Amino acid sequence: MQQHDVLILDFGSQYTQLIARRVRELNIYCEIHPYNKPPANANDFKAIILSGSPSSVRAENAPHFDFSEIRGNKPILAVCYGAQYLAHFSGGNVAPSNTREYGRANLSYIKENEIFFSRISEGSQVWMSHSDTIKELPTGAILLASTSDVENAAFRIEGEDTYAIQFHPEVYHSTDGKRLLENFLVNIAGIAQTWTSDSFVETTVSELQETLGNDKVVLGLSGGVDSSVAAVLLHKAIGKNLYCIFVNNGLLRKNEFESVLNQYEGMGLNVKGVDASARFLNALSGISDPEKKRKAIGNSFIDVFDDEAHKIEGVTWLAQGTIYPDVIESVSVNGGPSATIKSHHNVGGLPDFMKLKIVEPLRMIFKDEVRRVGASMGIDSELLARHPFPGPGLAIRILGNITPEKVRILQEVDAIFINGLKEYGLYNKVWQAGAILLPVNSVGVMGDERTYEKVVALRAVESTDGMTADWVNLPYEFLQKISNQIINKVKGVNRVVYDISSKPPATIEWE
Ligand code: XMP
C-alpha cells in the first residue's frame, strides 16, 4: 500500500510545489491536491497542510474548503492564506496590511517551550509574501511567534494540533523552514521519515505487480531519464512482459540510436530498436514551419509506434514516463472539476484507437527524485545525468527545411560541442546544451580560397525546469577550442556563434 502521510491542499500559491519538495526532503511522502477537489481518501492522510494563495480571504470568491470534519481530529498546518483562512472564518479578523509585507523578516518573539519551534531561536529569518494581515487571532488561539511588522506571525489552537504561520517555511529564505516542517510533521503529527528511493521502488514494484498481473505493457523509450527509469521500474515488476520500443527518427544525436540501444539491452530490458529514419525524413521533406515539423514528427511517431505495438500480441497497457509536475499542472486549482490529467508524450500524444490502459509509475515523483530512484536501481549515472533533449530532436535545431545532409552536419557539430563539454568537466554544470544550424551562409576564407558556407550557433543554458533559463558563461578558452574544432572538422561550416539570450524573452530552442 502506498503511504498516506501528508495531504497538501493547494489554494493556488506559486510555492505549493515547494512545500511538497521540502516535505519529501524530510523523507516523508506527500501529495498535492486542489482545495476544491480533495482526494476521496483524504481521511487516510496523517496530516494536512493548507497552502498559500494569491486570493484574499475577504474576497467574495475566496477559495473555500470545509475542514470542520478534520479540524481537531488531525494535525493541520495552515500556511499564509491557510492561516488567514483559519483566522477569518473562526472568530479572528483579517484586514489589508498597512505596510507591504514581502521579503525577509526575522522572528522577534517566539513563545518558549513550544514543540513547533523547537531548535529555532529568536532572530530566525522567515520569508513573507502577503498583502492581508491577521489583526486578531481566531477563537482559542495562542500566539507562538511575531516579527517586528507582523505580530500574529504564528499561532496554534488550544486543544488541537492545528498550527498556523503567516510566513512561508517552504521558501529557502526561511532559514529554519525545513526544521519547522519537521517539528510539525515528525514531533507533532508523529509521522515516520521512511519515504526513500528504496522504499519507493519497493512499493511501486509491488503495486505494479498487483495492477498488471500477467498483462503485457508497451513503452516508448526516448533515451531520456524519465522513460528509462520508468522502464527499469516496470521491468523489475513484470520482466519480459514489458515490451520497450526505441524509435530512431533520424533526428537523434550522432550515434545515439546504437549506443543507447546497446545500453538498454545491457540493462536487461526487452527492447526493440526500430530504425524509421527514412520514414521521418520523408515526412519532413520540404517542411520549414516549426509547428508543421512537430506535427509531421508526432504523426510519424504515432504511425511507427502503433505499427510496432500491434505486433505485440495481447498487449493491453501503455506505460508513460509522466512525472509529478505534469500531473500537478494538469489538475491545477483553476482547472475546474472536469479537468483531466493530460496524457503526456514527447511528440504529441497517442491515438485513441490504440485503446490501451495507461500506467505511469513516476506520476507521483519529481525530476530529481526520478534520478535518485534510477540511481537506487543501479542505472548508469551518465544516463541519469543526460541533458533534456526535445522529442522532435534535431529537427527543431535545423532552422528551415530538413535534409539528410543538414542532419549530418548538425550531428557532427553537436557531437564536438557535447563531447567538449564532457572533456572540460562542464557537462554537468549545464542544464541543457546543443547546436543549431542556421539557414544562412556566410563568407569565409580557408587557405587562399573564398568559402560561402553554413553558420552554426551553440547554446548552453542553466535552468531548473526549462520554464526560465539563463545562458551559461562558458570559458572563452573552451569556446575558442570548440569553434576551431568545428570549423576544421565539419565540412560545410565556416562560422560559429554563441547564443547569449536568456529565456524569457528568448526560448531555449530556436524553433
Ligand atoms: P523552449 O524552447 O520552449 O524549451 O524554451 C523548453 C524545454 O522544452 C524542450 N522542448 C521540447 N520538448 N518536444 C519536446 O519533447 C518539443 O516539441 C519541444 N520543444 C522544446 C526544450 O528542449 C527545452 O528543454
Side-chain angles (χ1 to χ4, degrees):
M1 264 295 288
Q2 191 63 266
Q3 281 174 273
H4 289 103
D5 290 340
V6 181
L7 169 60
I8 299 169
L9 285 176
D10 180 24
F11 289 88
S13 162
Q14 56 172 323
Y15 299 132
T16 307
Q17 284 200 31
L18 271 185
I19 302 180
R21 304 307 333 280
R22 297 290 162 272
V23 173
R24 299 264 183 110
E25 283 168 17
L26 291 166
N27 294 338
I28 291 175
Y29 180 71
C30 61
E31 287 179 19
I32 298 176
H33 290 267
Y35 74 94
N36 51 356
K37 281 170 267 167
N41 63 347
N43 260 324
D44 295 344
F45 289 86
K46 296 177 190 139
I48 316 276
I49 298 179
L50 310 178
S51 86
S53 171
S55 310
S56 162
V57 286
R58 296 173 298 103
E60 223 170 86
N61 57 352
H64 189 74
F65 174 72
D66 177 11
F67 59 103
S68 52
E69 295 258 309
I70 51 167
R71 226 187 106 177
N73 296 326
K74 270 184 203 297
I76 296 174
L77 175 61
V79 176
C80 195
Y81 178 87
Q84 296 175 357
Y85 187 86
L86 201 62
H88 185 72
F89 290 105
S90 306
N93 179 23
V94 174
S97 316
N98 296 330
T99 52
R100 188 164 168 261
E101 288 165 1
Y102 182 82
R104 294 174 176 84
N106 296 87
L107 296 178
S108 53
Y109 161 76
I110 293 178
K111 188 172 184 299
E112 276 180 25
N113 299 323
E114 287 289 331
I115 306 175
F116 191 54
F117 277 101
S118 77
R119 300 173 298 151
I120 300 173
S121 314
E122 280 174 14
S124 176
Q125 180 180 290
V126 295
W127 183 258
M128 294 285 185
S129 175
H130 56 111
S131 46
D132 277 357
T133 199
I134 299 167
K135 295 276 187 210
E136 280 169 45
L137 293 178
T139 315
I142 297 168
L143 181 67
L144 298 185
S146 312
T147 68
S148 56
D149 286 335
V150 181
E151 189 189 353
N152 297 319
F155 61 90
R156 69 173 165 85
I157 307 289
E158 181 137 49
E160 297 177 13
D161 280 336
T162 302
Y163 289 77
I165 38 181
Q166 182 60 80
F167 55 88
H168 288 268
E170 67 276 21
V171 173
Y172 275 114
H173 306 298
S174 290
T175 40
D176 291 311
K178 203 161 141 188
R179 188 164 280 174
L180 193 84
L181 289 171
E182 189 175 14
N183 288 342
F184 171 71
L185 295 170
V186 180
N187 302 331
I188 293 167
I191 298 172
Q193 294 170 284
T194 54
W195 163 258
T196 60
S197 304
D198 289 345
S199 74
F200 173 82
V201 172
E202 203 176 303
T203 34
T204 307
V205 165
S206 73
E207 277 177 358
L208 287 170
Q209 284 168 338
E210 198 169 304
T211 311
L212 302 171
N214 277 325
D215 293 354
K216 290 183 182 174
V217 179
V218 62
L219 176 144
L221 283 168
S222 70
V225 177
D226 302 343
S227 66
S228 304
V229 174
V232 174
L233 259 175
L234 279 153
H235 177 76
K236 246 178 153 17
I238 60 167
K240 296 287 177 208
N241 271 343
L242 173 69
Y243 292 77
C244 301
I245 297 171
F246 181 38
V247 177
N248 184 5
N249 57 12
L251 301 156
L252 302 174
R253 297 196 136 113
K254 188 180 174 186
N255 299 332
E256 177 132 309
F257 181 61
E258 298 76 11
S259 71
V260 173
L261 190 57
N262 273 339
Q263 209 169 358
Y264 282 144
E265 284 165 351
M267 286 154 69
L269 295 178
N270 175 13
V271 57
K272 179 172 182 187
V274 180
D275 189 354
S277 315
R279 191 159 168 179
F280 281 85
L281 291 179
N282 204 28
L284 281 167
S285 146
I287 301 181
S288 298
D289 177 80
E291 286 314 302
K292 286 186 182 147
K293 283 184 193 173
R294 280 189 171 82
K295 252 214 149 67
I297 294 167
N299 289 340
S300 303
F301 183 84
I302 289 168
D303 291 347
V304 173
F305 195 82
D306 192 45
D307 283 356
E308 292 301 324
H310 273 105
K311 292 179 194 161
I312 308 165
E313 210 175 304
V315 65
T316 47
W317 293 87
L318 171 73
Q320 292 187 309
T322 314
I323 63 172
Y324 202 27
D326 306 325
V327 175
I328 297 171
E329 240 166 67
S330 61
V331 289
S332 73
V333 166
N334 302 320
S338 64
T340 48
I341 294 172
K342 67 182 160 188
S343 261
H344 204 74
H345 195 274
N346 253 355
V347 278
L350 286 162
D352 283 345
F353 59 78
M354 282 185 67
K355 298 265 187 295
L356 296 172
K357 291 178 273 186
I358 304 283
V359 55
E360 299 171 316
L362 308 178
R363 68 192 310 275
M364 295 314 285
I365 60 175
F366 291 99
K367 188 84 178 183
D368 55 326
E369 292 172 329
V370 173
R371 291 203 166 95
R372 280 202 290 280
V373 164
S376 93
M377 293 189 297
I379 299 182
D380 182 49
S381 56
E382 203 170 313
L383 193 156
L384 295 175
R386 300 184 90 187
H387 290 173
F389 187 68
L394 299 182
I396 53 168
R397 295 183 183 168
I398 295 172
L399 272 52
N401 73 319
I402 291 162
T403 63
E405 175 62 1
K406 288 184 186 172
V407 174
R408 183 201 63 80
I409 291 178
L410 190 57
Q411 280 178 334
E412 296 297 334
V413 172
D414 177 79
I416 291 172
F417 185 35
I418 298 298
N419 291 338
L421 286 169
K422 287 180 180 164
E423 270 166 37
Y424 275 69
L426 294 165
Y427 185 84
N428 289 335
K429 299 193 173 117
V430 168
W431 189 77
Q432 186 175 22
I436 301 100
L437 186 66
L438 306 187
V440 283
N441 280 26
S442 84
V443 174
V445 52
M446 272 218 178
D448 291 332
E449 295 284 309
R450 174 189 191 272
T451 60
Y452 188 58
E453 293 178 331
K454 290 268 172 280
V455 182
V456 291
L458 305 181
R459 181 108 166 107
V461 295
E462 283 165 2
S463 178
T464 47
D465 51 13
M467 303 292 282
T468 61
D470 277 320
W471 60 277
V472 180
N473 205 334
L474 292 175
Y476 279 174
E477 185 203 337
F478 169 77
L479 289 170
Q480 187 182 27
K481 283 238 154 66
I482 294 301
S483 155
N484 276 344
Q485 262 189 52
I486 291 172
I487 293 173
N488 286 330
K489 292 192 178 157
V490 186
K491 202 166 163 284
V493 174
N494 69 356
R495 194 176 294 265
V496 177
V497 297
Y498 186 53
D499 183 350
I500 52 167
S501 330
S502 294
K503 173 183 180 175
T507 52
I508 295 175
E509 305 294 347
W510 281 41
E511 283 196 337

